Amino acid sequence: MLDWIKIANKNYPDFWKVYLSRIEQKPERAVALRLQTTGNDPHKDVILAISAVGMQQNHINAGDVFEVVLLQYVFNHDNGLSNEFIIESKVEKMLEPQAIEQFINYLGNAVIVGHQVNFDIEIINTVLEKLNCGRLRNEALDVDIMYKKYKDISSDKTFAIEEIEKQLKLPESDKESTTDKAFALALIYQKLKHKLKL
Amino acid sequence: MKNTLAERLATFLAAYQPFSEIPFEELVSVAATLQIRTLEKNQILFKVDDPLHPFFYIVASGAINLSVVADAEETLLNRCETGEILGLRPFFAKNNYMMTAKAREESIVYGIPIDTFRPLLLTNSQVLDFLLQSFASTAPRNSLSTMGKSGLVNDTVRGPEGSTELQYFQSLSYDKKPLFVKASDTVQVVAQQMTDNLKQSAVILHNNMLLGVVTEHDLSSKIATGRLPLTAACQLIASKNYVFVPENTSLAEAQLSIIRHNAPLLLVSADGTETTAITGVIHLSDLISAQANNPGLLIKEIKKALSVSELKDLREKMTDFIQLAIEKKVPLSHVCAITGEVNMALIKRCIDLAVLDYGSPPCRFAFLSTGSQGRKEQLLKTDQDHFLVYEDVAIDRVTAVREYFLRLSKRTTQFLSDIGYSECPNKHMANNLNWCKSFSDWIQQYSDWTSKPGLKNQENPGIFFDFELAAGEAKIEESLWEHVMSVVPKNKKFLAYLANEAIKRPPALGFFSKFNLEEDGEYKDLFDIKNRAILTYVEIARVIALSREIKGSTNTYSRFKQLAMLEPKHADVYQVASEAFLMLLKIRTNEGYKSGSDAAYIATDELSKSDRERLKSAILPLKELEEIVKSKFQLTFFS
């Protein structure tokens, strides 16, 4: 109850309050998350697209998909980037605040699965900060780390998704969209999860 | 919200039946409800007696084996590969699963919820039909065509005994339109009708009462001998030597009836008595052809086959036969010989079909099989190796002739790969310009190989010394052998080169006689039985056989047997080697059937302990063989 008061006092946006109440529960769902960003600086770069595929205990739900393209007018304009892919994409388009709000609602308390997931979380946190929210509190798993654990590799080397996919004997598919990549990530996670007996 | 993943999955589904019948928009909404599962090798999707899942499945990648387990023995019923559906039971039945679905390799399956799919069945009747058919056909493949037409939808499993005691389940296909004649017809009329309708017998009816049956035997014994004239009424020569059987008689029962009553033919009626109408006649020949596993009949059918898909089915039947033969412990040398004949017939038929497409050849030619096929050791569907030799023609026709044979070879190669023989990775195929040449070019080629062995950029030509005629002119093959025998046995340098290549192969066993497994790459931790063991035997047998001028038999097994006779000094080693070679072949073949591959690499840790020991003991004789080769060809100087 006290927590609630604290949250209420802090002037968070409503969606964040809902998120905070949901995060208390134990997660039953995992979400394979894949971002497309303009670069790899969590503070200077921005998110261009978010795709996520939901998973239950031992399967991927094709219906549990989140995908959105962010309209980053200012950023594109300042950096003189083309917005061709935004025009071509069939995916729904939103502005950053709206997109993040929807994503947080979709994410809930699910475990986040990503490749180099810390960066993804960091860049989302940057956006959340702008919206007067706190930081993400979800449990997060990195397939790169899982893969190294499975193979017993201790080096700092990062394995690309394609490499991991090949080693796990997953079929190679042409991954064009961010959603395809999220799906590939979900398959990798399912495999590794089984292999590591999680 | 839009879901591009669902669209992508729907695109996948749309490529396969029954989904191809469903409008794409509806398919997208189905796809959005899919559950995707990854399966490890040997992971179980569902097993016998599991409660039904609320899904049926489509294989997205990999392969799933469907099997039943009885008496601790697993019997494979079917194998589902990409795009095939399985687990349809929840649609049609309420009881638990009747079979086990297990991933044969790393696989991905999509689970399609029954509840979302059921409404589509109502609007798309073709989809329902397709599902019913697939549900009914998830039965052992070899009993599919013959098993009860009445019980199409009743069950998916017919009990494991069906596969071993097949004969008791196999119903016969027989003449279902017997020839009926009147009692007053003359013998001549009856004989004419039998000839016109290609019947072996005619049933004489009078007011729907059976009076007897006229068979070819009756005609020959009673008419042709002059005992009765051609104008006699057929009733006079009719025999009553027949037995009634019910309509769904099995092969085994029919055989028993014929033996017990010593009757040459069986009459079929609805209830198996004289009182109901006759619906068919079973002759001895029907019984023979019902034993479709008979390779002789297979060859006959291959010779008549009109399409590649027919040939493919026949090769599948051959696979069943080989498996059965190995189970029944038929000597492997025998199985090899038979399989070799069937393979040759297949290749010949493929060439015939290609000739049908391109018109008759402009000159005489010989299509020669090499590699495992040429040695008649091809039990699995491994790769194809062959080359083509055509007669020398006048210079103005050379281009046209070459064009023709290249096209012919291309077509033949295509047919063979459609049947399931993959193309040779080293392109040792007649559709390759290098291996489709005139006779004099080939003579030159063999001379080149033998006079300058081991040239740079030149692969080991050994495989071209194991040829066997598949189709065409036998004379060409003979002359080619003559040439080979005239240049090879005397050529010490070339023989030493071949011998060196043979013993240079990667060793099979390492320290402490452990298997040398692949260290990296795609086949990591697997044993390369083909390159490390089988081919070493093959090459050693080849080089010694060539040096002793053994021609006519290219088979590794018989090469060793012949060598044992020629060289009493080493007879023991050769005998052991021939047996060991067969053992290796057997292990590889068994593994190949288990995994549905060509089993060039086998997982030694998955072999049973006794098989592992057998494999090891089959490799051991190699050492002594290598010693013989070394001293014989004085290899110490060479390498």
Side-chain angles (χ1 to χ4, degrees):
Chain A
M1 222 22 218
L2 269 174
D3 282 353
W4 259 106
I5 296 165
K6 258 197 252 167
I7 293 166
N9 285 345
K10 260 204 162 172
N11 258 344
Y12 285 134
D14 287 341
F15 80 90
W16 191 252
K17 288 178 191 164
V18 175
Y19 167 76
L20 288 176
S21 66
R22 282 168 72 189
I23 201 80
E24 301 299 325
Q25 287 144 24
K26 210 174 171 311
E28 280 177 0
R29 171 167 160 260
V31 160
L33 172 66
R34 184 80 195 175
L35 302 181
Q36 193 181 345
T37 60
T38 52
N40 44 20
D41 184 328
H43 301 290
K44 287 188 188 135
D45 285 306
V46 294
I47 305 172
L48 293 177
I50 306 176
S51 284
V53 177
M55 294 170 273
Q56 298 287 335
Q57 189 53 33
N58 57 4
H59 61 256
I60 302 165
N61 281 322
D64 190 9
V65 171
F66 179 87
E67 44 189 344
V68 60
V69 164
L70 276 67
L71 301 172
Q72 303 281 16
Y73 290 125
V74 180
F75 185 92
N76 287 346
H77 185 263
D78 289 354
N79 290 282
L81 294 176
S82 105
N83 56 353
E84 230 169 300
F85 104 97
I86 295 178
I87 296 164
E88 272 178 21
S89 170
K90 287 185 284 182
V91 176
E92 209 161 322
K93 295 155 194 78
M94 290 179 206
L95 290 170
E96 192 179 80
Q98 198 191 352
I100 285 292
E101 177 177 343
Q102 294 235 357
F103 174 67
I104 295 295
N105 289 340
Y106 163 85
L107 180 68
N109 64 339
V111 176
I112 300 174
V113 176
H115 183 258
Q116 301 284 305
V117 72
N118 286 340
F119 168 75
D120 293 344
I121 291 178
E122 207 42 51
I123 198 165
I124 292 173
N125 280 337
T126 313
V127 182
L128 286 171
E129 214 174 300
K130 282 191 259 178
L131 300 175
N132 290 323
C133 301
R135 299 170 66 82
L136 284 176
R137 294 209 213 161
N138 300 57
E139 203 184 318
L141 290 171
D142 194 321
V143 290
D144 186 36
I145 295 170
M146 287 172 80
Y147 175 71
K148 283 187 222 166
K149 197 172 165 194
Y150 161 61
K151 283 278 176 180
D152 225 359
I153 301 169
S154 53
S155 78
D156 287 340
K157 189 187 163 206
T158 309
F159 289 85
I161 287 195
E162 287 74 19
E163 171 74 7
I164 300 178
E165 216 175 24
K166 206 175 147 201
Q167 289 295 327
L168 294 177
K169 296 182 191 160
L170 283 164
E172 284 171 61
S173 56
D174 41 334
K175 287 174 282 296
E176 289 152 15
S177 72
T178 321
T179 309
D180 291 340
K181 287 176 186 158
F183 181 55
L185 205 58
L187 287 173
I188 290 174
Y189 172 68
Q190 290 287 333
K191 281 242 117 132
L192 285 171
K193 193 167 108 140
H194 191 271
K195 286 188 193 287
L196 292 167
K197 304 201 169 55
L198 287 177
Chain B
M1 198 170 198
K2 245 184 134 62
N3 185 340
T4 51
L5 179 61
E7 281 175 24
R8 186 164 263 263
L9 296 175
T11 319
F12 168 82
L13 291 180
Y16 300 99
Q17 277 206 308
F19 306 103
S20 45
E21 316 278 353
I22 299 173
F24 192 74
E25 299 81 62
E26 286 182 49
L27 211 49
V28 173
S29 61
V30 170
T33 61
L34 290 187
Q35 290 202 353
I36 297 124
R37 301 182 62 150
T38 59
L39 296 171
E40 298 297 309
K41 189 176 179 181
N42 291 336
Q43 195 181 333
I44 286 169
L45 182 60
F46 53 77
K47 59 178 191 293
V48 179
D49 254 357
D50 270 5
L52 298 179
H53 296 182
F55 302 99
F56 70 100
Y57 297 94
I58 176 164
V59 183
S61 76
I64 309 286
N65 277 348
L66 295 177
S67 57
V68 286
V69 177
D71 303 335
E73 199 181 327
E74 212 173 340
T75 313
L76 185 68
L77 296 179
N78 203 345
R79 176 181 297 145
C80 293
E81 289 177 0
T82 307
E84 290 183 61
I85 50 179
L86 66 145
L88 288 172
R89 173 156 288 268
F91 267 115
F92 307 107
K94 291 275 170 278
N95 50 352
N96 292 350
Y97 282 112
M98 297 282 279
M99 53 176 82
T100 300
K102 195 168 157 190
R104 195 191 84 200
E105 54 198 63
E106 316 238 341
S107 310
I108 298 173
V109 294
Y110 297 163
I112 304 158
I114 303 281
D115 287 339
T116 57
F117 204 69
R118 208 188 290 275
L120 292 178
L121 294 185
L122 301 174
T123 46
N124 299 284
S125 58
Q126 291 139 308
V127 176
L128 179 63
D129 287 349
F130 180 82
L131 290 186
L132 279 173
Q133 276 172 20
S134 348
F135 180 58
S137 71
T138 324
R141 182 187 40 199
N142 37 16
S143 58
L144 191 66
S145 51
T146 45
M147 289 299 299
K149 287 125 206 152
S150 54
L152 199 66
V153 192
N154 54 7
D155 211 342
T156 46
V157 184
R158 243 163 296 238
E161 68 270 26
S163 50
T164 45
E165 300 288 312
L166 196 65
Q167 286 204 336
Y168 288 92
F169 289 83
Q170 198 174 353
S171 61
L172 279 162
S173 64
Y174 50 83
D175 186 0
K176 291 203 174 73
K177 283 185 196 135
L179 176 65
F180 293 112
V181 292
K182 290 196 285 285
S184 52
D185 287 339
T186 63
V187 172
Q188 192 173 15
V189 170
V190 173
Q192 189 60 51
Q193 283 192 30
M194 280 166 66
T195 316
D196 291 348
N197 295 309
L198 297 170
K199 301 287 182 190
Q200 299 173 36
S201 60
V203 179
I204 305 170
L205 287 182
H206 184 69
N207 294 336
N208 275 334
M209 280 289 292
L210 176 71
L211 294 178
V213 179
V214 179
T215 63
E216 284 171 342
H217 178 255
D218 294 324
L219 290 176
S220 65
S221 64
K222 291 167 193 166
I223 304 298
T225 51
R227 259 198 273 165
L228 287 165
L230 276 177
T231 48
C234 64
Q235 204 191 334
L236 291 172
I237 66 161
S239 65
K240 292 206 187 289
N241 194 5
Y242 46 75
V243 182
F244 272 93
V245 291
E247 260 172 0
N248 47 4
T249 303
S250 73
L251 174 59
E253 278 173 48
Q255 274 172 336
L256 279 176
S257 306
I258 285 189
I259 294 166
R260 203 179 320 134
H261 301 281
N262 193 21
L265 84 171
L266 302 171
L267 291 179
V268 183
S269 67
D271 62 355
T273 63
E274 228 173 299
T275 49
T276 47
I278 295 167
T279 56
V281 181
I282 301 175
H283 294 275
L284 272 176
S285 56
D286 296 324
L287 295 187
I288 295 166
S289 58
Q291 289 159 332
N293 274 340
N294 182 332
L297 277 158
L298 276 182
I299 291 180
K300 217 169 170 185
E301 280 182 61
I302 288 170
K303 283 184 183 155
K304 287 189 299 192
L306 288 174
S307 68
V308 175
S309 62
E310 244 176 274
L311 288 174
K312 194 173 175 184
D313 290 346
L314 291 168
R315 182 64 182 84
E316 290 301 318
K317 276 192 192 168
M318 191 59 208
T319 306
D320 291 342
F321 165 79
I322 298 171
Q323 237 171 330
L324 200 76
I326 291 178
E327 258 170 49
K328 293 260 160 73
K329 303 215 172 8
V330 176
L332 206 64
S333 49
H334 188 61
V335 180
C336 283
I338 294 170
T339 315
E341 290 308 324
V342 173
N343 280 332
M344 286 297 180
L346 269 173
I347 296 175
K348 186 165 172 11
R349 190 62 200 166
C350 282
I351 297 167
D352 289 350
L353 289 177
V355 169
L356 280 182
D357 284 356
Y358 290 134
S360 48
C363 65
R364 290 183 297 178
F365 71 103
F367 192 91
L368 300 155
S369 277
T370 66
S372 57
Q373 167 67 104
R375 294 189 300 270
K376 300 206 169 166
E377 294 161 1
Q378 190 179 38
L379 293 182
L380 294 160
K381 277 186 278 184
T382 53
D383 54 352
Q384 30 172 325
D385 303 287
H386 39 72
F387 61 95
L388 193 141
V389 188
Y390 52 82
E391 230 179 356
D392 286 296
V393 290
I395 199 129
D396 55 326
R397 286 174 61 210
V398 166
T399 338
V401 168
R402 190 175 56 211
E403 285 287 293
Y404 172 86
F405 283 113
L406 266 179
R407 275 201 312 181
L408 187 77
S409 308
K410 275 205 179 108
R411 191 81 180 183
T412 310
T413 311
Q414 185 55 43
F415 285 155
L416 284 170
S417 36
D418 288 348
I419 293 176
Y421 298 101
S422 58
E423 298 195 4
C424 174
N426 301 326
K427 302 269 172 288
H428 290 152
M429 295 181 297
N431 65 356
N432 182 339
L433 198 62
N434 288 339
W435 316 129
C436 178
K437 290 192 284 207
S438 70
F439 183 73
S440 54
D441 284 347
W442 271 109
I443 296 290
Q444 184 59 39
Q445 177 76 68
Y446 275 99
S447 303
D448 282 352
W449 274 329
T450 47
S451 60
K452 296 173 220 141
L455 268 189
K456 255 192 191 157
N457 304 331
Q458 183 186 294
E459 40 189 339
N460 185 352
I463 189 171
F464 288 100
F465 292 87
D466 296 334
F467 53 86
E468 168 103 20
L469 183 76
E473 202 63 37
K475 276 239 171 67
I476 297 183
E477 191 206 8
E478 269 172 43
S479 331
L480 214 52
W481 267 122
E482 254 166 47
H483 176 71
V484 168
M485 285 308 160
S486 71
V487 292
V488 174
K490 295 190 297 270
N491 190 333
K492 287 261 163 10
K493 200 170 139 205
F494 179 65
L495 287 172
Y497 165 77
L498 280 187
N500 194 48
E501 289 290 311
I503 60 171
K504 234 172 52 186
R505 301 199 77 86
L509 296 178
F511 283 125
F512 312 118
S513 58
K514 269 175 98 168
F515 293 112
N516 277 337
L517 305 179
E518 297 305 295
E519 271 160 10
D520 45 19
E522 199 184 335
Y523 300 103
K524 190 169 183 288
D525 295 336
L526 296 178
F527 177 65
D528 186 352
I529 190 172
K530 183 181 172 192
N531 278 314
R532 286 183 191 272
I534 292 180
L535 284 183
T536 320
Y537 276 111
V538 168
E539 295 197 352
I540 291 178
R542 179 193 300 140
V543 64
I544 306 183
L546 283 175
S547 75
R548 303 293 311 212
E549 298 187 45
I550 296 177
K551 61 173 181 179
S553 83
T554 51
N555 191 275
T556 305
Y557 168 82
S558 41
R559 271 174 172 171
F560 277 127
K561 286 275 176 205
Q562 291 198 19
L563 286 173
M565 278 187 280
L566 285 171
E567 294 179 18
K569 200 169 96 187
H570 301 305
D572 287 351
V573 182
Y574 291 144
Q575 290 285 5
V576 172
S578 71
E579 294 304 325
F581 175 76
L582 285 185
M583 177 53 72
L584 286 174
L585 214 54
K586 192 169 178 174
I587 292 172
R588 179 177 176 190
T589 309
N590 276 335
E591 285 304 303
Y593 286 133
K594 247 187 248 164
S595 62
S597 65
D598 72 353
Y601 296 86
I602 60 174
T604 45
D605 47 345
E606 280 172 27
L607 289 176
S608 68
K609 193 152 187 266
S610 61
D611 272 350
R612 214 162 36 231
E613 287 308 312
R614 253 180 260 171
L615 178 58
K616 223 171 249 180
S617 57
I619 290 169
L620 289 176
L622 270 180
K623 235 188 162 69
E624 280 181 77
L625 269 183
E626 279 171 14
E627 289 308 317
I628 294 180
V629 170
K630 268 186 205 163
S631 65
K632 222 183 181 54
F633 302 104
Q634 296 155 17
L635 287 189
T636 34
F637 302 111
F638 195 79
S639 47

